[in-house]
Amino acid sequence: MNTFSNAVEPLRLYEQLLLIRAYENAIVRGSTEGRIPGTCTSVGQEAAAVGAINALSADDLILTNHRSAGHLLARGADPGRMLAEVMGRRDGYCMGKSGSLHISVKELGVVLTTTIVGGELSLAPGVALAQTMQGRPGIVACFFGDGAACEGSFHESLNLAALWNLPVLYICENNQWQAFVHRREAMSRERVADWGAGYGIPVRTVDGNDVFAVLEATREAASQVRDTRRPALLEMTTYRTRGHFEPDDQGYVDKAELAAWLARDPIAICRDRLIAAGRLAPAADAELAARVDSRIATAVAFAAASPFPAVEELTLDVYA
Amino acid sequence: MPTLTLNDAVGLALAEEMRRDHKVIAFGEGIATKRHELVTEFGALRVRNTPLAEGIIAGTAVGAAAGGLRPVADLLFAPFLCYAMDELVNSAGKLRYMSGGQFSFPLVTLAMTGAGWGIGAQHNHNIEAWFVHSPGLKVVMPSTPADARGLLKAAIRDDNPVVFLLDIGLLYQPGEVPHEADPMPLGQAATLRSGNDVSLISYGKTVHHCEQAAESLATEGITAEVIDLRSLKPLDEAAILATARKTGRVVVVHEANRLCGVGAEVAALLAEQAFTRLKAPVIRLGGPDAPVPSSFPLEQATVPQADAIAAAARRLSAPQPA
Ligand SMILES: Cc1ncc(C[n+]2csc(CCOP(=O)(O)OP(=O)(O)O)c2C)c(N)n1
Ligand SMILES: [Mg+2]
C-alpha cells in the first residue's frame, strides 16, 4: 500500500490502463469484423506498461517490441495515429510502412521498435552509448519479453552493457508465453532476473499486474541506472490474457492458469485499490470509462478516414 | 484426389517421412503446439518446441545432422533466418567441403515468406537468392500443396542442407494432393502450360499470376508457356533453355527484389546459352529495392501481378525494333 501513496496521480494511471484496454479491444473488434488487421495485443499487461513508462523521464529513450501499444499510449502517443498505422494509412506514425508491430515515435522518445524478437536488446547498448558519449542525461529503457531473453542477443546485450557501463534499464515483461510455447518449456530458469544476476547486473522483480508496485519498482531501478550510469534489470511478472496474435483461440493454453490470471486483472486490481482508498467513486469510474471510449471511437474514425499511402511512396525512405 | 492446404501438405510430408525413417526429427518455435498430431504420433522426443533462439535452433540442426539425424527445423519467417545465418551459411553450407567430404548435413529449414499478411518487412522478405548464392545449400520454394509435399519429402531425404521456403500467400490455399506418396526430385521445373509465343518463368505465388496472365494472353491469340522452377538450387537450366529456345521470348517473374534476384541468374543463363535463339530481350519482373511495407495496397504493389506480366509478354510479342 505504501507504493500507492507515492503515485502522484493515481487516477491518471487508472485512466491510462482503461485507454490501453479500450484501444486493444477496438482492434480485437475491428479485426473480427475485418476492418482492422489482427495484431499482438497487450491485454492483461496494461499495468506493466503504465507503471514502467510513468516512472521514466521525458529525456529517457525507449526501445520496444511487437507488443508495444501500452508503452506507446502511456507515453502519450495519439491512439488515432497509432490505429492509422495499424490500418496501413497515410496518417500513421510510420506512414503505413510499419503496421502494428514496429511503431516508433521519435518525438516521444520511442526511438526504435522491432518485431525481430531480441532486436531491441541488440540495439539498446548502442543507443545508450550515444547518450553517454554525447553527455545526454536520459537513460535507455529497453522493453522485451521472456521469449526475447532466450535469444543470444539478450545475453550479449547484458554483458556488453555491464562491461561498458551503459545506462540501460532492461525491462522484461514476463507474460509466461513466447508465442505458442510456454516459458516453462523454453527457459532453464524460472526467472529472467536470474540470468541478469549472472552478468553482475542489479535485478528486481515485481508483480506486473499491480500498477503502483510497477511504478515504484521502475522508479527505483531507473534512478539506480541514472545515478550509477550502469545497467539494471527489472522483471515484471504478468500474463498475456488474449493469446499471441489476433485471432487466437488459445486452445493450447492451460484453462486454470488463464483463469487464475484473469482473476488478477490489472485494471480490476487498480480500481479496487482506488475505491478502497476513497479515490474513485462509481460515478467517476463510469465517467472515465465513457471518456476513454469516446477517445477511442474518435481515434477509430480518424484512422478509418485516413487515406492509404500513394503507391509512389513504396520506395520513399529506403535510403537517407 | 484429396484436397489439402499447402500448410497441411507440409504436415503430411513431415508425418510420412517421420514414419518412414526414425532418424527424422522436427523442432522449432511452436511446432509441437501447432502440429500437435506429430507429437501424438511420434512422441515428444522427436517433435519439440524450442526456446526462441534461431541461432541455436539452426546450429542444433546442423550438429544433429552431422551426427546422423535428419532434422527439420521450423524457423517461422524468413527474416528470422538472419539470426541463423552463421549456422546455415558458414556451417551447414561449408563444413562438408571444408572437412574434405567427411561430414554431410541432411537437414531442412522451413520458413515462411512473401506478401499476403500485411505484417511488414521483418516478417516478409524474400531472401531466397541469398541462399542460392551460398555454396552447399539447396533452395526450394513450391507453389502448390502437391509440390510442397513431394519436394519436402525429397528435401528430407536429401543429404544436403535444404532451405525450404513457404509462400505465406499460398499457405492456406487448398489444392489437390495425389494419393501416391513419392518424393519429387529437387531441381526439376514443371511446365504448367504449353505455349509457343512467350515463356513465363517463375516460382512461388507469382507462378499463379503467370497462369492468369497466360489465360488473358490466350484470348488475344498469344500462347504463353508457364514454367514453375520449384527449386532454385539446383536450378533446372535444361528446362529454362528448352522453353526459351522454343518461344524465343522470356519473362522471368518473382516477388523478391529484382536486383540480383533469381531472375538475374535466369536472364544471364539465357544470354550465355540461348542468345541466338532469343527474338527479344529477356524481361525481369520483380519486387522493388525496398523493404516490404505493411500497408495493404503498398504490399500488393511489391508483387508482380497478372496484368503487369501480360503487359510484358505483349511487349515482347510485338514486332521488335531492328
Ligand atoms: C527473431 C524472431 N523469432 C520469432 C519471431 C516470432 N515471434 C513474434 S513474437 C514471438 C513471441 C515473443 O515472446 P516474448 O519475447 O516473450 O514476447 P511476448 O510475445 O510474450 O510479448 C515470436 C516467437 C520473431 N518475431 N522474431
Ligand atoms: Mg512472453
Side-chain angles (χ1 to χ4, degrees):
Chain A
M1 273 296 176
N2 61 327
T3 55
F4 171 75
S5 55
N6 286 347
V8 207
E9 295 170 80
L11 280 181
R12 198 168 61 89
L13 301 182
Y14 178 61
E15 184 167 356
Q16 286 183 6
L17 298 179
L18 295 178
L19 182 72
I20 297 168
R21 179 70 57 90
Y23 172 92
E24 300 287 30
N25 282 340
I27 291 189
V28 171
R29 266 195 313 278
S31 67
T32 315
E33 293 162 13
R35 287 181 286 113
I36 301 179
T39 189
C40 296
T41 77
S42 62
V43 174
Q45 301 177 217
E46 295 88 348
V50 170
I53 294 285
N54 280 279
L56 300 174
S57 310
D59 54 12
D60 293 338
L61 300 179
I62 295 165
L63 284 80
T64 177
N65 64 7
H66 54 282
R67 213 174 292 284
S68 60
H71 309 142
L72 289 159
L73 289 168
R75 188 71 171 181
D78 170 6
R81 291 196 64 193
M82 285 172 62
L83 279 166
E85 187 58 50
V86 172
M87 294 169 76
R89 306 303 173 95
R90 189 68 182 60
D91 294 303
Y93 275 113
C94 307
M95 300 172 75
K97 299 288 177 54
S98 163
S100 64
L101 298 182
H102 355 60
I103 302 179
S104 295
V105 185
K106 197 175 175 187
E107 75 215 37
L108 295 176
V110 183
V111 290
L112 296 166
T113 306
T114 163
T115 187
I116 293 299
V117 170
E120 64 292 336
L121 286 156
S122 293
L123 306 174
V127 175
L129 182 68
Q131 290 290 92
T132 300
M133 293 192 68
Q134 294 170 102
R136 297 187 190 133
I139 66 166
V140 173
C142 178
F143 287 89
F144 61 100
D146 47 300
C150 296
E151 292 280 5
S153 58
F154 167 79
H155 300 269
E156 297 171 30
S157 183
L158 265 65
N159 183 44
L160 189 75
L163 193 67
W164 284 9
N165 296 323
L166 298 171
V168 183
L169 175 55
Y170 292 96
I171 306 181
C172 181
E173 275 174 70
N174 185 340
N175 64 3
Q176 317 303 316
W177 283 97
Q178 314 182 353
F180 306 104
V181 180
H182 196 278
R183 62 120 181 101
R184 240 184 282 110
E185 227 187 320
M187 286 172 56
S188 62
R189 305 297 299 259
E190 276 284 301
R191 292 184 170 281
V192 172
D194 294 343
W195 286 334
Y199 294 98
I201 287 178
V203 299
R204 281 176 183 72
T205 56
V206 66
D207 173 3
N209 284 21
D210 177 345
V211 69
F212 304 111
V214 171
L215 180 76
E216 179 80 1
T218 313
R219 277 185 177 156
E220 284 173 17
S223 29
Q224 186 171 27
V225 173
R226 226 180 289 286
D227 297 345
T228 61
R229 307 308 289 177
R230 288 182 47 78
L233 186 149
L234 173 66
E235 178 173 9
M236 314 191 282
T237 310
T238 180
Y239 202 82
R240 183 198 81 184
T241 54
R242 276 208 62 91
H244 177 53
F245 190 101
E246 294 300 319
D248 180 343
D249 66 11
Q250 294 183 277
Y252 56 93
V253 170
D254 180 69
K255 304 272 176 299
E257 184 184 77
L258 178 59
W261 280 95
L262 284 169
R264 297 200 67 251
D265 181 61
I267 295 183
I269 291 174
C270 181
R271 178 189 297 123
D272 291 350
R273 296 272 294 281
L274 291 170
I275 290 171
R279 301 289 290 264
L280 182 67
D285 189 20
E287 211 173 286
L288 278 183
R291 190 156 83 202
V292 158
D293 284 347
S294 100
R295 232 185 121 189
I296 293 298
T298 308
V300 172
F302 169 81
S306 175
F308 282 106
V311 172
E312 296 70 52
E313 293 176 42
L314 182 54
T315 50
L316 182 73
D317 290 329
V318 181
Y319 299 99
Chain B
M1 270 197 277
T3 296
L4 290 182
T5 63
L6 198 150
N7 188 51
D8 288 340
V10 166
L12 177 63
L14 284 171
E16 286 172 344
E17 291 307 298
M18 293 188 79
R19 219 168 278 144
R20 197 186 62 86
D21 180 354
H22 69 278
K23 292 185 177 220
V24 178
I25 60 170
F27 50 83
E29 295 165 5
I31 190 170
T33 311
K34 286 183 279 182
R35 299 194 190 277
H36 193 73
E37 65 287 355
L38 295 178
V39 184
T40 308
E41 183 172 353
F42 303 107
L45 292 181
R46 287 180 69 193
V47 184
R48 302 180 192 224
N49 282 339
T50 60
L52 223 170
E54 292 71 15
I56 196 66
I57 296 169
T60 302
V62 177
L69 298 176
R70 289 188 173 271
V72 177
D74 186 351
L75 292 176
L76 301 183
F77 291 91
F80 312 163
L81 290 169
C82 292
Y83 269 161
M85 223 52 191
D86 169 62
E87 290 77 4
L88 294 177
V89 172
N90 286 320
S91 296
K94 295 179 186 171
L95 286 181
R96 173 179 175 74
Y97 181 83
M98 291 174 70
S99 67
Q102 294 180 79
F103 304 103
S104 57
F105 299 93
L107 67 96
V108 177
T109 55
L110 294 172
M112 297 177 270
T113 186
W117 198 21
I119 193 141
Q122 290 180 336
H123 281 77
N124 172 13
H125 187 174
N126 293 281
I127 57 176
E128 55 273 12
W130 300 2
F131 299 103
V132 175
H133 206 67
S134 301
L137 304 179
K138 296 188 175 181
V139 185
V140 177
M141 192 157 169
S143 72
T144 66
D147 286 359
R149 184 230 207 161
L151 293 167
L152 182 54
K153 289 166 71 79
I156 291 171
R157 294 186 201 187
D158 201 290
D159 284 333
N160 297 286
V162 180
V163 176
F164 201 97
L165 295 159
L166 305 169
D167 192 321
I168 299 167
L170 302 177
L171 216 49
Y172 299 102
Q173 303 280 334
E176 291 188 335
V177 175
H179 284 292
E180 313 82 71
D182 291 338
M184 289 176 182
L186 306 185
Q188 281 188 15
T191 303
L192 300 184
R193 185 183 178 113
S194 291
N196 296 315
D197 301 319
V198 60
S199 302
L200 309 177
I201 301 178
S202 189
Y203 61 89
K205 78 161 69 67
T206 47
V207 165
H208 303 291
H209 300 174
C210 288
E211 288 185 298
Q212 289 158 20
E215 286 288 330
S216 73
L217 290 166
T219 64
E220 302 160 26
I222 300 173
T223 67
E225 185 145 294
V226 178
I227 307 286
D228 179 358
L229 292 173
R230 303 197 286 196
S231 133
L232 307 179
K233 193 163 67 171
L235 186 65
D236 191 345
E237 297 190 352
I240 295 168
L241 291 167
T243 189
R245 287 178 181 138
K246 178 178 172 194
T247 65
R249 301 178 185 92
V250 177
V251 186
V252 203
V253 187
H254 53 63
E255 193 175 328
N257 192 338
R258 204 176 82 110
L259 199 62
C260 289
V262 169
E265 180 59 32
V266 171
L269 175 74
L270 295 175
E272 284 172 348
Q273 297 189 39
F275 185 74
T276 56
R277 306 288 290 273
L278 293 178
K279 297 172 188 154
V282 174
I283 292 182
R284 285 180 294 149
L285 297 179
D289 182 36
V292 184
S294 169
S295 182
F296 180 76
L298 294 195
E299 185 202 50
Q300 290 304 303
T302 65
V303 185
Q305 307 287 348
D307 287 353
I309 299 167
R314 263 182 232 116
R315 267 200 323 276
L316 290 185
S317 305
Q320 296 296 311

